[in-house]
């Protein structure tokens, strides 16, 4: 499974729902959504600033991540941005791979 950073911003209808249901209820709903894809929710935090919600989720594959992003965004209450999180060990592995690359202009 891969870890994903989920950043979300509520629109007016989403904030209205959040005020009505509360944060814990929305965490439970998000947990159910992610588990329905075969994943798990590691952490969820609300925040001040440019982003309303941060979460870290384990999802089984990129298709599951895309399904989450598409369907949650399509519901219309929040805008979702997802980032794949890379472990230090994966960076170690990547740094050892050889490839052929020519920078622009060379």
């Amino acid at each position: 499974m891969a870890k994903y950073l989920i950043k979300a911003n509520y629109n007016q209808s989403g904030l209205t729902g959040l005020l009505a249901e509360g944060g814990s209820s929305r965490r439970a709903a998000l947990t159910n959504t992610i588990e329905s894809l075969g994943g798990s929710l590691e952490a969820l935090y609300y925040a001040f600033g440019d982003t309303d919600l941060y979460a870290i989720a384990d999802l089984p594959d990129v298709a599951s991540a895309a399904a989450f992003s598409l369907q949650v965004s399509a519901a219309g209450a929040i805008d979702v941005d997802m980032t794949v999180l890379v472990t230090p060990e994966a960076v170690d592995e990547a740094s050892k791979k050889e490839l052929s690359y020519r920078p622009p202009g060379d």
Side-chain angles (χ1 to χ4, degrees):
M1 277 205 226
K3 288 193 184 296
Y4 292 86
L5 172 64
I6 301 165
K7 298 188 296 184
N9 287 305
Y10 287 92
N11 61 28
Q12 185 177 1
S13 69
L15 287 172
T16 300
L18 177 62
L19 287 170
E21 292 185 30
S24 298
S25 174
R26 295 313 308 153
R27 180 181 55 208
L30 183 61
T31 297
N32 288 338
T33 300
I34 290 170
E35 287 177 352
S36 75
L37 291 165
S40 63
L41 180 65
E42 182 177 309
L44 181 139
Y45 293 95
Y46 290 93
F48 300 121
D50 294 338
T51 302
D52 297 328
L53 179 143
Y54 292 92
I56 296 176
D58 287 304
L59 290 166
D61 50 45
V62 70
S64 298
F68 175 88
S69 182
L70 288 168
Q71 292 183 30
V72 171
S73 293
I78 63 174
D79 293 320
V80 175
D81 179 39
M82 295 183 72
T83 302
V84 178
L85 298 176
V86 181
T87 66
E89 293 78 15
V91 171
D92 291 345
E93 185 179 335
S95 70
K96 294 174 183 156
K97 291 193 178 279
E98 293 187 27
L99 62 135
S100 176
Y101 173 70
R102 183 188 58 77
D106 278 359

